[in-house]
Amino acid sequence: MTVCICTHERTGYLRTCLDSLRQQTVGLDGFTIVVVDSCSGPEAAAEIARLVAAMPNATLVRADILGISLARNAGARAATGDYVAYIDDDAQAAPDWVEQIMRVVAEAPARPAVLGGRALPIWEAPLPAWWPDKLIGVLTITEWEGRGEYRTKEVPEGLGPYGANFIVEREALLAMGGFLEDLGRRGNMLLSDEDVHLAWALQDSGRSTRHDARIVVHHCIQAQRLTPKWLLNRLYWQGASTVATRRLLGKPQQVWRELPRRLAVAVLFAPAALIPSRSSIALGLRWRLAYALGYCRMALWQPTEYAARS
C-alpha cells in the first residue's frame, strides 16, 4: 500500500498528518508514502522537503501546475503499492488506518476497486447554530458506522466516498486514466466530485466500490469555512460539479430531467440573493438558490465542455 498526501503551502497540517502516519500499527515498513507538493512557494516547499526527508518510508513529488486531480495523478504514478490510499493534508489517520484498509481488502466479497470510510471532524471552531443539519457533509464529514456497496440499499442514499479518505486500486486508477483533471479544486475554484466520478465510473464498469466504517480518518474542519459566504460558495460549486459529473459519466439525461426544478428554484428564490453573503438570514433559501445557480449555469452555459469521456 502507498499512502498519498497532496499539499499546497500547508506545512502545519502536513506535519500533523505525517505524525499520524508515523504511529500506524503496521509500522513504517508496512507501507510507503508519497507526498505531492502542488506548487508551494520556495519557503513552504523547503519545509515540505524537510518533513518528507524525516520519514524513512516517504518520497516527495513536485507538481508545477496547481490542481488536486493533477496532484493525485502524480502521486498515483509515483506509488508502488497495489492500492493508493489518499488522505488530505488536513486529516489525521487513525492508528489502525492502514491495518484496517488491508483487512477490508482481504475480507471483501470481491476485490474492491475503491474503498471509502469515515471522516470524523476535528473542529477548529464550534459549528455555528445556523448551519443546516443536512449540509454537514459538505465539510467532508462521514460518520455512518456501517459497511456495504455504494449506490445500493446496503448504504444510506446519497452516501459516497470523499477524497480525504479514499482508497483506490492503483492498476484500476491508471487504467481509467487517473482522476479527471477537468474536475477537482484548483485554487479558489471549488469544482469537486473528481473522487465521486472515478468511483462511479469504476462501479459502472463492473468493479466493487465499498464503504467500510472501520477505515477512519479525523478531518480538521477549518474555522474559515464556518461562514455563510463559504457555505454558499461551496453549494454553488457543488451544483456545477453535479452537472459536470453526470455528463462525464455519460448521463446527460439526468441533467436535463432535473433542470426545470433547478430553474424554478433559481427564479423563485432570486430575491434572497440581495441578502449580504456574510449574513445567516434565510440561509435555507439561499443555499438552495446557490446550488440551483451553479447547476443551471453549468447546464446551460457550459453544455459541451464536460462531455462523456471514453
Side-chain angles (χ1 to χ4, degrees):
M1 179 167 301
T2 297
V3 174
C4 181
I5 313 167
C6 302
T7 190
H8 171 73
E9 298 281 348
R10 303 203 300 187
T11 55
Y13 284 123
L14 177 63
R15 181 182 300 106
T16 304
C17 183
L18 287 171
D19 284 345
S20 75
L21 295 175
R22 199 185 300 272
Q23 305 302 318
Q24 290 299 296
T25 54
V26 298
L28 293 180
D29 58 350
F31 64 104
T32 58
I33 301 170
V34 173
V35 175
V36 182
D37 177 4
S38 181
C39 294
S40 295
E43 184 176 345
E47 177 65 7
I48 290 168
R50 188 190 69 78
L51 291 170
V52 173
M55 295 288 290
N57 60 337
T59 58
L60 178 62
V61 173
R62 171 79 179 186
D64 290 322
I65 301 176
L66 191 63
I68 186 61
S69 291
L70 187 148
R72 286 177 176 156
N73 289 338
R77 290 190 294 270
T80 56
D82 293 339
Y83 281 85
V84 184
Y86 290 94
I87 182 171
D88 281 359
D89 61 356
D90 61 353
Q92 302 167 31
D96 63 347
W97 183 58
V98 172
E99 179 183 351
Q100 291 294 354
I101 293 169
M102 293 176 175
R103 177 173 289 115
V104 171
V105 170
E107 294 177 357
R111 183 174 174 86
V114 169
L115 289 171
R118 287 188 290 166
L120 305 179
I122 300 173
W123 299 101
E124 295 187 354
L127 182 70
W130 50 259
W131 194 281
D133 290 340
K134 69 184 301 180
L135 296 183
I136 293 294
V138 303
L139 292 167
T140 313
I141 297 172
T142 303
E143 298 179 298
W144 186 64
E145 296 185 1
R147 65 188 73 167
E149 189 78 14
Y150 287 119
R151 295 197 295 178
T152 72
K153 293 181 179 180
E154 295 177 347
V155 304
E157 184 178 0
L159 180 70
Y162 283 129
N165 188 10
F166 187 92
I167 301 93
V168 59
E169 187 185 51
R170 180 173 180 269
E171 183 178 330
L173 171 61
L174 296 178
M176 292 291 292
F179 293 90
L180 279 184
E181 294 173 8
D182 290 339
L183 296 174
R185 298 184 183 184
R186 296 190 293 274
N188 293 325
M189 190 182 77
L190 299 183
L191 196 67
S192 57
D193 283 3
E194 73 288 346
D195 38 18
V196 172
H197 170 268
L198 178 67
W200 296 170
L202 285 167
Q203 192 179 52
D204 289 346
S205 74
R207 296 299 306 277
S208 173
T209 64
R210 295 183 62 80
H211 176 93
D212 196 300
R214 292 175 289 179
I215 303 170
V216 179
V217 303
H218 300 269
H219 181 232
C220 292
I221 310 301
Q222 299 167 38
Q224 64 188 24
R225 296 184 177 183
L226 302 178
T227 66
K229 183 177 181 178
W230 184 92
L231 178 62
L232 295 173
N233 192 39
R234 175 69 179 83
L235 266 293
Y236 173 89
W237 284 107
Q238 186 56 57
S241 300
T242 297
V243 173
T245 301
R246 288 175 179 174
R247 285 184 172 147
L248 289 165
L249 288 171
K251 299 177 181 179
Q253 69 280 4
Q254 293 182 359
V255 174
W256 301 121
R257 191 159 53 240
E258 188 174 335
L259 181 60
R261 181 161 62 96
R262 298 301 174 188
L263 283 169
V265 169
V267 172
L268 290 173
F269 295 174
L274 298 174
I275 300 173
S277 61
R278 65 181 180 276
S279 172
S280 62
I281 295 173
L283 203 60
L285 298 180
R286 292 162 61 210
W287 75 254
R288 290 174 172 84
L289 172 62
Y291 182 94
L293 291 173
Y295 190 102
C296 294
R297 179 177 179 181
M298 182 65 76
L300 296 174
W301 282 278
Q302 295 176 291
T304 60
E305 183 175 347
Y306 293 90
R309 308 296 172 83
S310 58

